[in-house]
Amino acid sequence: MPHLAPYIHNLVLHFGYAGLFVVMFLGNIGMPTGTEVVMPTSGALAGTGHLPALGPIPGWALAGAVGTLGELCGGLVLYTIGWYGGLPFVHRYGKYVRFREHELDRVHAFYEKHGRSMVFWCRFIPFVRGVSALPPGISRMPKRYFLTYTALGSGLFCFGLAALGNVAGHNVDAITGYVHDFALAFGAGAVAVIAAAV
């Protein structure tokens, strides 16, 4: 990830909101784009004038909206792959990852019981957030619930970090390391809680 960071930063810097959308989209189909660093950086770029405002809408809010939209679109791609590829995927490739057809029923039951809240909370866990849209698709979670909870989680994530970056401005490099460390700590705690619950 560290060696990708300059390229990701330059993608947003040179292509603006379109670059941000691409980065957030890729980050939600499993690519390691470091979205927890990209969003405060985008907020800082908005705060320093590199990402323009749109009328009364400040740049950091546009960055939050574009980031959220990118995450929704990327997540929807993975969700769709899970939905249409679920059972055939398990039939064809499940044995190679020790995942059997009867376990698909357990995944479905888990998401029926806890799925909606898990879709929301997974938006805040590094690494997990990039692939968290696949299990709801496999478990056939209704699309309206998937989109609603993904939008809520992604919105809080993107708008919150963009606002933080906007406030930090030129000093964003000083906080992104802390944001990344906090996200990792939060993720480890969340995974431990989920594992204990399961």
Side-chain angles (χ1 to χ4, degrees):
M1 173 58 207
H3 65 281
L4 286 177
Y7 298 104
I8 292 167
H9 181 272
N10 287 334
L11 191 62
V12 178
L13 186 62
H14 293 303
F15 295 99
Y17 293 114
L20 175 61
F21 176 87
V22 170
V23 169
M24 299 305 285
F25 178 90
L26 293 176
N28 281 266
I29 58 171
M31 293 199 59
T33 58
T35 53
E36 70 274 7
V37 175
V38 171
M39 284 313 306
T41 299
S42 299
L45 289 172
T48 54
H50 289 92
L51 290 178
L54 180 63
I57 305 172
W60 70 266
L62 281 175
V66 170
T68 302
L69 183 61
E71 293 212 331
L72 269 176
C73 291
L76 192 56
V77 168
L78 269 193
Y79 171 88
T80 303
I81 290 171
W83 183 285
Y84 290 105
L87 194 55
F89 179 86
V90 172
H91 277 312
R92 187 165 185 178
Y93 301 107
K95 60 184 177 184
Y96 298 112
V97 293
R98 297 186 178 181
F99 190 84
R100 302 289 185 258
E101 184 178 340
H102 69 275
E103 291 173 311
L104 192 62
D105 294 330
R106 289 205 309 233
V107 170
H108 179 73
F110 178 81
Y111 269 90
E112 280 292 305
K113 186 175 182 181
H114 305 289
R116 297 175 193 176
S117 62
M118 292 311 301
V119 168
F120 174 83
W121 289 111
C122 282
R123 306 313 303 158
F124 303 97
I125 304 175
F127 310 116
V128 172
R129 69 191 316 278
V131 295
S132 64
L134 191 61
I138 291 175
S139 71
R140 299 295 181 96
M141 176 183 288
K143 188 181 293 184
R144 65 184 182 278
Y145 295 131
F146 169 76
L147 290 175
T148 298
Y149 282 86
T150 299
L152 288 172
S154 291
L156 281 173
F157 177 87
C158 293
F159 279 91
L161 289 183
L164 182 64
N166 179 65
V167 170
H170 290 290
N171 300 312
V172 70
D173 289 337
I175 66 163
T176 51
Y178 293 111
V179 169
H180 183 66
D181 291 344
F182 174 78
L184 288 176
F186 179 85
V191 168
V193 170
I194 292 168
V198 171

